Amino acid sequence: MSLVNFEVQQPYITPSQLLLAMDKVIPSQTITNAIISTSTLEQRQRILPTHVVGVELAKLS
């Protein structure tokens, strides 16, 4: 299937708005519970905190 007249659209929301929306969909307490229940607390220094990584992974699934 070919894409006819395909154009890349600019996002309508900013990254900060997206993170706020994800926090409403997946509350931070839910992410905290998942981190605790899977024993995957941060064991090394990261640029991104575990909560942000958790939200990003949830968006991919």
Side-chain angles (χ1 to χ4, degrees):
M1 176 173 111
S2 63
L3 299 174
V4 178
N5 298 327
F6 179 77
E7 293 181 22
V8 175
Q9 298 290 318
Q10 294 297 321
Y12 292 108
I13 62 174
T14 64
S16 61
Q17 291 172 321
L18 180 61
L19 285 175
L20 287 173
M22 287 301 297
D23 189 50
K24 290 184 186 284
V25 174
I26 305 172
S28 61
Q29 185 61 42
T30 302
I31 295 172
T32 300
N33 291 343
I35 292 167
I36 291 170
S37 69
T38 58
S39 301
T40 55
L41 293 174
E42 293 178 79
Q43 296 180 0
R44 59 187 166 97
Q45 294 295 323
R46 297 183 181 130
I47 295 173
L48 295 174
T50 303
H51 280 78
V52 174
V53 173
V55 168
E56 295 300 318
L57 289 172
K59 289 190 307 188
L60 293 173
S61 60

